[in-house]
Structure formats: C-alpha cells, structure tokens
Amino acid sequence: GGGGGGMDDLMAHIYQAELNRVRFLIRAYYRTRLFKIEKHAVHVVKPETNEFAKLSPQEQKYATDYVNMLEEHFGSVLGQMPEKYSSMLQQIEEDDAEMDMVPEPNLDKHVFCRVREDRRDVMFDPNDPDNTMDLDQGDIIMVRYRFIKGLLEDGALDLI
C-alpha cells in the first residue's frame, strides 16, 4: 500500500486552503460591514430611518456604542464652542434645520444583484416609465441601488 497517503495529504491540503479562503471572505465581509456601519453610524441609528432594524443585535449594539463614543469624544471638544456651533449633526442650529452633517449612503451607486424570482415590466428609472425590463430568475444585473431598493426589500433580488 502506501500509494493513497500522498493523495490523502493533497486532499487535506486542498480542503485546508479552501477553508482558509472561506475564512478570509467572511472576515472581509465583516470588515466591510463594520466599515459601513461606522461610516454611516449616526444615519443608521436615527429614529426616522428604519435602517437600525436591519442590523443584527450585535451590530445594533456596535452602532449604538460607536455613536455614543463619537458623541462623548466630540462633545468634549464641541462643548467648548459657542452654542450655535456645538452640534456634531448640524452646521446651522435652527429649529427646522435637518441634520446636514450626517453622512448618508449614496443610493445612486451602482450595485450587482442576482434575481431570485421572475418579474415582468420592471421600471427602474421613474423618470423614464416607458423603459422597462423583464427579470428572469438567476439573471445578474448592475443597476443603481435607488432603483432596486424596493425589490430588495421584497426579496426579489439579492445583492452580490
């Protein structure tokens, strides 16, 4: 015998390499997700958005803790400023002013999606209602996120 030992070692090496590749991908995914949460943390935890509910409980805690840490850090500096310059959320302190310093995700960025279910006459651009497209299950498309947000929430598409 002994001829199969080399093949077993090779297969073990291939499996280990694949396992390392999957670990790398999962870590990269989590790093990217945490980066996006940090970049848009204040927007995510704002009560008027429903983005917070889309996070896992661990991500919700992370986002909340991150925003609290930012407020504490900036509060120590901004607290020394005159009242109308002391907000980390607004450039202009007015009753009806929106939080104009809160970075929000760019909804016009293009994304890749995989179609999960057939859809007919899908209108992507509301400014061009005559331009529709049929989506077949398994299709991969690239389109602006703003145009497919509803389809994602309905489960008709997956981001890839």
Side-chain angles (χ1 to χ4, degrees):
M7 184 57 81
D8 290 343
D9 289 345
L10 177 62
M11 290 305 294
H13 182 71
I14 290 171
Y15 285 134
Q16 187 62 45
E18 182 65 11
L19 183 62
N20 288 339
R21 186 183 75 82
V22 170
R23 284 182 182 151
F24 173 81
L25 289 173
I26 290 172
R27 287 183 184 133
Y29 170 79
Y30 282 132
R31 278 193 303 271
T32 301
R33 190 138 169 102
L34 290 176
F35 171 77
K36 287 180 179 182
I37 290 171
E38 288 177 7
K39 184 175 181 181
H40 305 291
V42 177
H43 170 74
V44 167
V45 300
K46 283 194 313 190
E48 55 270 9
T49 68
N50 65 347
E51 306 301 320
F52 192 72
K54 296 177 183 176
L55 301 178
S56 71
Q58 295 86 355
E59 291 170 334
Q60 289 177 349
K61 180 178 180 344
Y62 183 81
T64 303
D65 290 350
Y66 187 79
V67 169
N68 290 339
M69 182 183 65
L70 281 177
E71 287 175 344
E72 183 179 320
H73 174 71
F74 285 121
S76 64
V77 174
L78 294 172
Q80 307 300 316
M81 302 292 287
E83 182 66 33
K84 67 181 195 174
Y85 299 108
S86 65
S87 173
M88 80 172 204
L89 305 177
Q90 295 174 227
Q91 292 183 31
I92 302 169
E93 244 346 282
E94 293 179 5
D95 291 337
D96 61 345
E98 60 183 77
M99 296 184 229
D100 58 356
M101 290 179 55
V102 176
E104 296 182 0
N106 180 1
L107 300 181
D108 288 320
K109 198 169 196 175
H110 285 79
V111 295
F112 286 94
C113 309
R114 179 176 287 117
V115 179
R116 295 183 68 191
E117 58 187 46
D118 294 346
R119 293 283 176 111
R120 299 291 162 241
D121 295 325
V122 176
M123 178 182 61
F124 288 120
D125 188 352
N127 297 325
D128 189 5
D130 294 332
N131 188 4
T132 63
M133 182 175 176
D134 292 340
L135 301 178
D136 296 318
Q137 184 177 2
D139 285 353
I140 296 177
I141 60 171
M142 183 181 80
V143 66
R144 285 188 179 139
Y145 181 82
R146 175 182 313 280
F147 297 151
I148 52 110
K149 186 176 181 196
L151 291 171
L152 283 169
E153 291 169 354
D154 291 345
L157 301 175
D158 285 327
L159 291 178
I160 53 175

